[in-house]
Amino acid sequence: MSIGDQTTLQTATVSATVLRGARTRVTSIQGRAEAGSVLLLHDVDDAADVAAGNLKATYKWETEGIQIYIPGSGILFATGVCATLTQTSGVDGSVTLTITGA
């Protein structure tokens, strides 16, 4: 979906995956209600470069799911957005990020 300069990125339960390899601002996050969900967002354009030093945000939620609007200009990822999504059990999780800069 694209409206002006906004679009969405989606991922399911995965290890580090580059969702967009370019400058991006994340303006909202929605996650499926799965117990023990953890979303890590790194500022890299290559999943091999994921490290603690480029971790920009960590979000944790349970069976209530997550819906977050990030105020202002959102979270800036200068290089790219790489996501890791895990749950305590199963692989049914998913997350949608609304971004600008696409």
Side-chain angles (χ1 to χ4, degrees):
M1 176 180 130
S2 181
I3 300 173
D5 67 344
Q6 287 193 324
T7 191
T8 57
L9 304 173
Q10 295 178 311
T11 189
T13 302
V14 294
S15 57
T17 301
V18 174
L19 301 179
R20 184 162 191 270
R23 182 182 170 94
T24 305
R25 289 186 184 271
V26 174
T27 57
S28 74
I29 300 168
Q30 292 180 312
R32 182 178 162 148
E34 296 292 336
S37 294
V38 177
L39 174 65
L40 304 176
L41 297 174
H42 292 265
D43 189 351
V44 296
D45 61 0
D46 185 336
D49 295 333
V50 165
N54 51 41
L55 179 65
K56 291 285 253 190
T58 301
Y59 293 93
K60 298 179 180 182
W61 66 94
E62 295 294 329
T63 56
E64 72 280 2
I66 190 171
Q67 289 187 332
I68 295 176
Y69 168 74
I70 302 162
S73 298
I75 303 170
L76 174 62
F77 293 82
T79 307
V81 179
C82 184
T84 302
L85 177 62
T86 58
Q87 291 87 45
T88 53
S89 64
V91 292
D92 295 330
S94 65
V95 70
T96 300
L97 308 175
T98 304
I99 66 163
T100 59

